[in-house]
Amino acid sequence: MAVAVAVAGVTTTNRSCCLASAHRRTLHRHRHPAPPRASGAVEVRVCTNRTCARQGGREVLAALAGLAPPRVDVDSCGCLGRCGAGPNVAASVGGSIAVFGHVGTAARGAQLLEHLLGAAEFNAAAELAALAAREKAEAALEKGSAAEAEVLLNEVFGLNACGGMHLVYRSRSKTRLAIGDISGALEDAEEAIRISPRFIQAHLLRGDALLAMGEYCAAEDAYADALDLDPSIRRSKSFKARVERLREKLVSATNP
């Protein structure tokens, strides 16, 4: 059934979208609540206060976020004491809290996760290799070498890593969008969401893939899912650009 679409002052008929206004609904619609975090979560907090920041706390935070499996919640925190022994990391497992010092490199972070989760769940060597391959692929993509990036990301899947796989699927989704493999990009974005339902970038990439397919209503829903998870993205240039692209596509579709 055809539906009426009003965009930028133009009212017409279009089968591909159910929007009254792409911009207005994407920015203001209230939808279902964000999904809960995974059960059995392990909490890891990295001190990024002044002393620990100088000792590499922010870099360790980024490395742990890239290494952690979905059930590990990684975030920053304030001072944990023991200044000078940092970067300091606090971990909560099963209600028990411990603070670890001198976690100053990605390798030390991986060893800590292996200690917390057990080697059967988290193999530090494999996870570090996967992290290095993903970072190399992302660097290649930034340089415009999407084909090289895809090869590197495909190699990650042979490493039997479990941590940061939502980031691997995110990066491959971006890569596949760049090379024109839209269906593959959509599959990867949806897999990233399955692994980490609260991963905003995956919802945005899902919207990008759907937009490229001409599925404008579904793209708007994906962008709205991301907005539900973090309303502050409405102020970002990248989100505004996505909304504008959606509007342009709708205008083009309604005025062939």
Side-chain angles (χ1 to χ4, degrees):
M1 179 182 295
V3 294
V5 180
V7 179
V10 179
T11 302
T12 184
T13 299
N14 184 278
R15 294 179 181 272
S16 61
C17 189
C18 58
L19 307 182
S21 166
H23 180 70
R24 183 170 62 252
R25 287 190 62 193
T26 301
L27 293 185
H28 299 294
R29 184 175 58 175
H30 293 288
R31 306 180 73 250
H32 53 76
R37 295 187 184 277
S39 60
V42 174
E43 293 188 0
V44 173
R45 297 292 180 263
V46 182
C47 176
T48 55
N49 210 24
R50 184 180 305 174
T51 302
C52 282
R54 287 199 300 266
Q55 295 171 331
R58 292 188 179 90
E59 291 77 11
V60 170
L61 173 63
L64 283 169
L67 287 164
R71 76 182 184 98
V72 179
D73 178 26
V74 178
D75 206 344
S76 62
C77 69
C79 184
L80 295 169
R82 303 173 61 178
C83 295
N88 293 312
V89 177
S92 173
V93 183
S96 298
I97 300 174
V99 177
F100 302 85
H102 301 294
V103 187
T105 64
R108 290 297 299 272
Q111 290 168 3
L112 174 59
L113 289 174
E114 186 177 81
H115 169 73
L116 295 172
L117 303 174
E121 178 178 350
F122 188 93
N123 181 290
E127 303 297 339
L128 285 167
L131 175 64
R134 177 174 63 80
E135 290 178 341
K136 187 175 180 180
E138 289 170 353
L141 183 59
E142 286 184 5
K143 294 178 181 178
S145 301
E148 178 187 354
E150 186 179 30
V151 170
L152 289 167
L153 290 166
N154 287 339
E155 291 176 357
V156 174
F157 294 99
L159 296 174
N160 296 319
C162 69
M165 292 307 295
H166 60 301
L167 300 174
V168 177
Y169 280 106
R170 180 276 316 271
S171 295
R172 196 170 69 172
S173 179
K174 289 174 64 176
T175 298
R176 287 178 163 177
L177 277 172
I179 63 179
D181 181 4
I182 308 304
S183 61
L186 178 60
E187 290 176 3
D188 282 346
E190 290 180 339
E191 182 62 16
I193 293 169
R194 186 194 67 78
I195 295 170
S196 182
R198 302 177 65 88
F199 189 28
I200 294 167
Q201 293 178 34
H203 289 282
L204 292 173
L205 283 166
R206 180 172 180 268
D208 293 345
L210 289 165
L211 183 62
M213 291 177 169
E215 299 289 345
Y216 303 137
C217 188
E220 187 235 8
D221 283 343
Y223 294 152
D225 286 339
L227 192 62
D228 284 343
L229 291 168
D230 183 4
S232 71
I233 65 172
R234 75 172 72 243
R235 298 189 295 270
S236 71
K237 291 182 179 179
S238 61
F239 187 76
K240 290 177 180 178
R242 284 179 163 97
V243 173
E244 185 58 31
R245 283 197 298 271
L246 178 58
R247 287 167 56 86
E248 290 172 356
K249 291 290 187 180
L250 285 167
V251 170
S252 177
T254 55
N255 294 279

